Amino acid sequence: MVSKILEFYKKCSLIITDFRLEKESKKYDACNFKLNDLSIICRKSKITAKKAGQFVTFWKRNDSGIIEPFQENDDFDFFVVNVKSTHLFGQFVFPKSELINQKIISTEKQEGKRAFRVYPSWDLPESKQAELTQKWQLNYFYEVSDSTSLTKVADLYETK
């Protein structure tokens, strides 16, 4: 499936450079890279047994070695989350501005989150809050398939 994403990127003139695996969060395939001039933080989500949706970590270590949420002044443009089920695969392409808006990234006024749930289109949320979360998240989601709109993929990386 990763090759399918790379194929989409190439067709959209999105070129990966400066790819770096992170030492921590290997279970989430944590990495950073440049996509053209954009700075990307990327993780893979995990399916959990008790709840709909998928769990993804989104933290960094501070100078004291303690984990903390990312902050609005951290240097990145998008947080990309790869999601997968038995036969389906997709990507969330969250712009930093939306993560601030959704209180996932820390600001002077609020502390962000170290992890959160994502709800791809094929998941059925079990609560009103999860439904509302899925509703905003799907604006930044595409399923990887032969019918995926390359225009949508390219447009997601225009939304800063």
Side-chain angles (χ1 to χ4, degrees), residues 2-12 146 150:
V2 172
S3 63
K4 194 77 118 164
I5 290 172
L6 294 175
E7 177 185 322
F8 289 158
Y9 284 176
K10 187 175 182 179
K11 288 180 180 178
C12 296
D146 292 335
L150 295 176

Side-chain angles (χ1 to χ4, degrees), residues 94-144:
F94 295 121
K96 183 181 189 179
S97 59
E98 184 62 22
L99 295 175
I100 292 168
N101 191 40
Q102 296 296 330
K103 300 178 173 56
I104 294 171
I105 292 178
S106 294
T107 66
E108 289 180 7
K109 297 179 182 179
Q110 74 194 17
E111 183 173 9
K113 299 179 181 182
R114 290 162 182 78
F116 61 102
R117 295 190 86 70
V118 291
Y119 299 91
S121 57
W122 56 80
D123 279 352
L124 301 173
E126 300 165 348
S127 71
K128 192 68 173 165
Q129 181 60 48
E131 286 176 17
L132 291 171
T133 300
Q134 184 184 48
K135 185 176 179 180
W136 76 259
Q137 287 180 348
L138 288 180
N139 292 319
Y140 305 100
F141 178 75
Y142 70 94
E143 186 175 326
V144 176

